[in-house]
């Protein structure tokens, strides 16, 4: 029959991920601001159910597969921010220093800065900027249903043609609830009486001609998202539906037993979503200039990529030497860049990103019994398009080299395996990875550049030849290289940067056993 021999595969999965935490989000010893512990304060929970059915078979010159997929993910996020006793003194000093930097020394009085925001709000010191600032909740429901299939036609013994397609229906909805337990008193007072803010600036020596242009900046400091009462009591509901095609076309040609070449084209799709954070701008639009008006529509569109590849897979020396190489070119539209803009996380759609380059890898089983060598090299040129973005913090992105995209990534390793006797074996591996410099920040700030570095890892294994048990002694980053994984702006600390560092030198012992 045309179906030939077919196999039906069913995969059902149910997953739950739950995290409750707290954080000192100013990353200092001062009591400035923090996220308190508690499931109703700071918690993220995912509940996911997925079901996949695949029917695959072959007949004559045809290999085929068809399937259905369903996924339902429910997400709960609770986020709370508390302002500490040092919040107002710190922010008052920060805003006055920022203003003073624009004038000759001594023009703007920064003494007694701890009371400046209270003065600007016209309220007693310490009454407006302390205690619970925000308590927000997001409940998101996402469903994905797709039908997919591919077919490979072996036109000759050497030529094979593959076509694949996937139709995806995505639906997402999110309910958002915002609250300011302290009513955002300082921000509310500033918004109601900007003249008081101007008077406070004039009292500090700011020339009258500049007061009007500086008032919005000061109000912006006083109305940072968590302290902005315009969010208080807001509830919003957002939803969207996407229906998209993705797929691939590929041709392979086997020249002989040692050499196979291929060319492929593919279209990929990643669904859009919602920013689950307070977002504000001057006009209430997500792409508007900086301001304090809450953004109701926090959605971002789906991401697409058209990718092309030309490559070869070869083996030599009776299969002991494998050498593969490929040229690749990928063009992304509406690339989803996750950015920390100093006060909130926002996924910003970048109109265009093009990534192209060359990838090669080698595996050689040497003539020395048990000794093998591995090597790999990737050259990547990844650049954003020149389209301007609405966020001043992302001004360096248009036309820039994409973050986390080193020009060169090189790997190498050596493995030696031997048998102690007919029951016991040993294996030793030493591997290295070299990366040229790359930027670790989504905003491409030069301060977040990671210089080139090399990581060295090793592993020693002793175990049964049957693999019933193994003991592994391993070490990673043996030279204890310090390197940044992600760089980001220190919250409300202009000109300061923090980073999540890679793991230091680490040793471990792993035991494996199977029945």
């Amino acid at each position: 029959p045309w179906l030939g021999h077919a196999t039906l595969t069913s995969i059902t999965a149910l997953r739950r991920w739950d995290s409750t935490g707290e954080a000192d989000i100013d990353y200092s010893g001062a009591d400035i601001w923090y996220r308190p512990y508690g499931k109703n304060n700071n918690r993220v929970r995912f509940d996911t159910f997925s079901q996949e059915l695949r029917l695959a078979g072959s007949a004559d010159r045809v290999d085929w597969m068809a399937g259905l997929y369903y996924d339902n993910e429910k997400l709960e996020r609770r986020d709370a921010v508390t302002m500490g006793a040092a919040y107002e003194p710190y922010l008052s000093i920060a805003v006055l220093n920022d203003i003073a930097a624009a004038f000759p020394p001594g023009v703007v009085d920064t003494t007694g800065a701890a009371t400046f925001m209270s003065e600007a709000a016209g309220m007693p010191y310490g009454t407006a900027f302390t205690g619970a600032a925000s308590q927000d909740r997001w409940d998101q429901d996402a469903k994905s249903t797709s039908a997919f299939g591919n077919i490979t036609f072996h036109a000759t013994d050497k030529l094979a043609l593959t076509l694949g397609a996937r139709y995806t229906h995505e639906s997402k909805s999110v309910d958002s609830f915002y609250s300011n337990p302290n009513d955002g008193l300082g921000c509310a007072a500033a918004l109601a009486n900007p003249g008081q803010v101007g008077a406070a600036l004039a009292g500090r020596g700011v020339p009258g001609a500049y007061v009007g242009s500086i008032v919005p900046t000061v109000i912006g400091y006083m109305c940072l998202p968590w302290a902005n009462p315009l969010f208080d009591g807001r509830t919003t509901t957002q939803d969207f539906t996407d229906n998209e095609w993705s797929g691939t076309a590929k041709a392979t040609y086997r020249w002989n037993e040692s050499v196979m070449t291929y060319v492929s084209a593919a279209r990929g799709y990643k669904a859009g979503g919602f920013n689950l954070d307070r977002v504000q701008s001057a006009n209430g639009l997500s792409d508007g200039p900086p301001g304090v008006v809450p953004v109701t529509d926090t959605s971002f569109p789906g991401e697409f990529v058209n990718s092309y590849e030309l490559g070869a897979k070869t083996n030599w020396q009776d299969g002991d030497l494998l050498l593969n190489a490929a040229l690749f070119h990928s063009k992304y539209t509406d690339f989803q860049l996750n950015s920390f803009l100093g006060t909130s996380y926002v996924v910003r759609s970048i109109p265009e990103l093009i990534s192209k380059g060359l990838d090669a890898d080698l595996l050689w089983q040497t003539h020395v019994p048990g000794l093998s060598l591995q090597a790999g090299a990737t050259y990547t040129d990844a650049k954003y398009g020149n389209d301007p973005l609405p966020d001043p913090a992302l001004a360096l992105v248009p036309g820039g080299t994409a973050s986390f995209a080193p020009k060169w990534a090189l790997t190498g390793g050596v493995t030696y395996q031997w048998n102690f006797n007919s029951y016991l074996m040993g294996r030793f591996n030493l591997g290295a990875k070299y990366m040229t410099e790359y930027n670790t920040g989504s905003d491409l700030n030069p301060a977040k550049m990671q210089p080139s570095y090399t990581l060295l890892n090793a592993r020693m294994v002793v175990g049964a030849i049957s693999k019933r048990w193994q003991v592994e002694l391993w070490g990673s980053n043996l030279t204890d290289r310090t390197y940044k994984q992600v760089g980001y702006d220190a919250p409300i600390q202009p000109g300061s940067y923090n980073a999540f560092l890679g793991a230091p030198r680490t040793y471990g012992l792993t035991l494996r056993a199977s029945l």
Side-chain angles (χ1 to χ4, degrees):
W2 185 85
L3 288 176
H5 297 286
T7 300
L8 177 65
T9 302
S10 174
I11 302 174
T12 305
L14 182 64
R15 296 175 291 275
R16 167 170 288 185
W17 187 86
D18 202 331
S19 173
T20 302
E22 61 183 333
D24 180 357
I25 47 181
D26 57 81
Y27 302 98
S28 75
D31 182 19
I32 299 177
W33 63 324
Y34 58 94
R35 285 188 162 94
Y37 181 84
K39 66 179 183 180
N40 293 321
N41 289 322
N42 287 284
R43 176 192 182 191
V44 178
R45 177 173 175 174
F46 290 90
D47 286 301
T48 307
F49 169 79
S50 63
Q51 173 64 55
E52 182 172 335
L53 292 173
R54 293 198 307 263
L55 187 64
S58 60
D60 297 328
R61 292 183 174 272
V62 175
D63 300 324
W64 58 271
M65 184 271 291
L68 297 170
Y69 178 79
Y70 173 78
D71 179 279
N72 182 204
E73 178 187 84
K74 296 184 183 298
L75 164 63
E76 299 177 15
R77 180 172 186 242
R78 308 291 183 265
D79 182 74
V81 172
T82 295
M83 298 179 293
Y87 182 88
E88 180 177 348
Y90 171 78
L91 212 57
S92 291
I93 293 170
V95 67
L96 278 178
N97 284 341
D98 190 34
I99 294 170
F103 297 97
V107 172
V108 177
D109 179 16
T110 60
T111 61
T115 64
F116 173 68
M117 286 173 54
S118 289
E119 292 173 5
M123 303 182 71
Y125 171 67
T127 62
F129 299 95
T130 187
S134 63
Q135 286 186 339
D136 302 333
R137 184 169 87 249
W138 293 269
D139 296 323
Q140 178 174 284
D141 189 3
K143 296 182 176 67
S144 176
T145 305
S146 59
F148 57 90
N150 64 59
I151 185 169
T152 299
F153 174 57
H154 299 276
T156 69
D157 291 341
K158 294 185 177 182
L159 177 64
L161 305 173
T162 299
L163 289 175
R166 186 183 191 101
Y167 180 77
T168 302
H169 171 81
E170 294 271 357
S171 63
K172 286 185 180 180
S173 63
V174 61
D175 295 320
S176 307
F177 309 88
Y178 303 96
S179 173
N180 288 76
N182 76 339
D183 298 321
L185 296 175
C187 172
L191 291 172
N193 187 13
Q196 175 65 37
V197 179
L201 287 169
R204 293 286 176 170
V206 175
Y210 297 94
V211 167
S213 62
I214 295 176
V215 165
T217 299
V218 176
I219 293 178
Y221 271 94
M222 299 169 72
C223 296
L224 293 170
W226 51 88
N228 187 347
L230 298 180
F231 283 94
D232 189 35
R234 291 171 62 89
T235 63
T236 64
T237 297
Q238 303 178 75
D239 59 74
F240 74 82
T241 300
D242 274 349
N243 297 287
E244 297 293 346
W245 284 95
S246 54
T248 184
K250 183 177 181 180
T252 62
Y253 191 83
R254 183 168 291 281
W255 299 86
N256 51 49
E257 292 184 356
S258 298
V259 179
M260 184 271 283
T261 57
Y262 66 91
V263 59
S264 68
R267 170 183 168 87
Y269 160 71
K270 183 166 68 172
F274 303 100
N275 286 299
L276 305 184
D277 206 344
R278 291 194 176 194
V279 182
Q280 59 188 41
S281 69
N283 56 10
L285 301 177
S286 62
D287 59 354
V292 299
V293 180
V295 173
T296 299
D297 180 5
T298 65
S299 63
F300 53 87
E303 174 185 299
F304 297 88
V305 57
N306 293 322
S307 58
Y308 308 91
E309 191 168 328
L310 174 65
K313 296 182 180 293
T314 69
N315 69 82
W316 312 92
Q317 298 182 2
D318 296 326
D320 287 339
L321 177 62
L322 305 180
L323 178 61
N324 307 316
L327 291 167
F328 60 88
H329 183 285
S330 299
K331 181 178 180 180
Y332 295 83
T333 55
D334 288 329
F335 177 76
Q336 296 171 3
L337 179 69
N338 188 16
S339 304
F340 179 62
L341 301 181
T343 58
S344 59
Y345 288 92
V346 175
V347 174
R348 181 65 73 204
S349 290
I350 309 301
E352 182 180 276
L353 167 63
I354 294 178
S355 177
K356 55 188 177 181
L358 171 67
D359 180 71
D361 61 88
L362 174 147
L363 174 61
W364 181 28
Q365 301 284 351
T366 70
H367 297 296
V368 177
L371 180 64
S372 63
L373 303 177
Q374 306 88 34
T378 300
Y379 172 80
T380 304
D381 180 22
K383 290 188 178 298
Y384 295 114
N386 295 316
D387 302 82
L389 299 174
D391 309 290
L394 300 180
L396 298 177
V397 169
T401 298
S403 51
F404 307 103
K407 285 289 186 184
W408 285 99
L410 307 177
T411 61
V414 55
T415 302
Y416 182 63
Q417 181 170 318
W418 69 98
N419 294 338
F420 292 102
N421 50 45
S422 59
Y423 174 75
L424 197 63
M425 55 79 65
R427 183 173 65 250
F428 175 76
N429 172 264
L430 182 66
K433 178 175 70 173
Y434 169 77
M435 311 279 277
T436 56
E437 67 173 10
Y438 58 91
N439 200 298
T440 65
S442 58
D443 60 357
L444 301 185
N445 189 310
K448 300 171 187 176
M449 286 294 293
Q450 168 57 50
S452 59
Y453 66 96
T454 301
L455 297 180
L456 189 64
N457 306 314
R459 185 175 298 269
M460 177 68 186
V461 180
V462 175
I465 293 177
S466 65
K467 298 183 180 180
R468 292 284 299 275
W469 63 270
Q470 289 184 345
V471 179
E472 302 180 11
L473 176 64
W474 53 268
S476 59
N477 192 6
L478 295 179
T479 59
D480 202 21
R481 183 70 162 84
T482 299
Y483 63 99
K484 296 188 288 285
Q485 288 186 310
V486 179
Y488 58 95
D489 292 4
I492 56 173
Q493 299 176 49
S496 297
Y497 308 97
N498 292 337
F500 293 106
L501 301 180
R505 182 189 295 119
T506 307
Y507 299 99
L509 185 68
T510 302
L511 306 178
R512 303 181 188 275
S514 60
L515 301 177

